[in-house]
Amino acid sequence: VDITNEYGADALRLGLLLMAAPGRDIKMSIKRIEGYRNFLTKVWNATRFAQTYLGECQESDWDAPAGVTEQWIRSRLADTQQKVKVAFEAYRLDEAGHAIYHFIWHELCDWYIELSKRPLRDGSAEQSAAARAALADALSGALRLLHPFCPFVTDALWPALPTFMHESDSLCLAKLSFDAQRNVDSEAQIALAIEAVGLLRGLRGQVGINPRESLSVRLQVSDPERLGQLDSA
């Protein structure tokens, strides 16, 4: 009861499920429960950011051609859905939870939301529409997957999605869908961008360049085709 009062029921529930690997006793870790509370705070903040733009969503947004970043986040959702499906069938709730955690924190929040800010704020009408549609798809998929682990927070965030994406008023009555499609080309292109950004951040730290200082960067790859749509994104 004290842990629930301090960190919330969803953080405790998520922590217990993710620590419950077969063949081991659960050793309660308050630091990990605190970490999952922070994760849910990140989900909350990401949804509130998305809500700023999803209020403008129309069904016609899905007709806009998706760029490489929009293709990428849908592909990563598809990969996560498949991992969760396999884990659920094997009753490996810990593996399912870790896959969902990784997708939401490291791919949706850390990368796609950051990559989407430019088209959402400064892009053409077509680019903004494509970004909104992909953001709505990714957030809808994330909340559906996370709901069995964190029912209270996800149900509270469900109304942030466009009304026409709701098949029910409550997320607990919505489908746990596994219908996203993989796009390995977009995954390879964004993986290259993520690798390049990681190397640049490491280089800044090594030579003491301020993270806020603007740099001109030239990217050279052995196979130019790996750049795909990145050179025009």
Side-chain angles (χ1 to χ4, degrees), residues 107-228:
E107 294 173 334
L108 176 57
C109 294
D110 282 355
W111 286 103
Y112 181 69
I113 285 181
E114 293 303 317
L115 292 170
S116 71
K117 288 179 179 179
R118 181 177 177 183
L120 286 172
R121 294 172 177 171
D122 305 316
S124 65
E126 196 172 66
Q127 290 171 332
S128 296
R132 284 195 303 267
L135 180 58
D137 283 341
L139 184 59
S140 173
L143 292 178
R144 290 171 192 265
L145 290 174
L146 186 60
H147 183 67
F149 297 85
C150 303
F152 301 109
V153 169
T154 51
D155 203 52
L157 296 175
W158 182 240
L161 289 166
T163 304
F164 59 81
M165 296 184 72
H166 295 170
E167 68 266 34
S168 64
D169 292 335
S170 175
L171 184 51
C172 68
L173 300 176
K175 295 186 298 182
L176 182 60
S177 52
F178 299 97
D179 54 0
Q181 300 295 318
R182 291 289 301 274
N183 183 313
V184 293
D185 289 340
S186 67
E187 292 194 32
Q189 292 169 51
I190 297 299
L192 177 62
I194 291 174
E195 181 183 0
V197 170
L199 291 171
L200 286 170
R201 287 173 176 170
L203 184 60
R204 279 180 182 272
Q206 291 176 21
V207 299
I209 300 175
N210 190 310
R212 296 182 179 276
E213 184 176 342
S214 179
L215 297 177
S216 297
V217 177
R218 179 180 178 183
L219 181 64
Q220 182 174 344
V221 296
S222 57
D223 181 7
E225 291 186 3
R226 289 186 64 197
L227 292 174

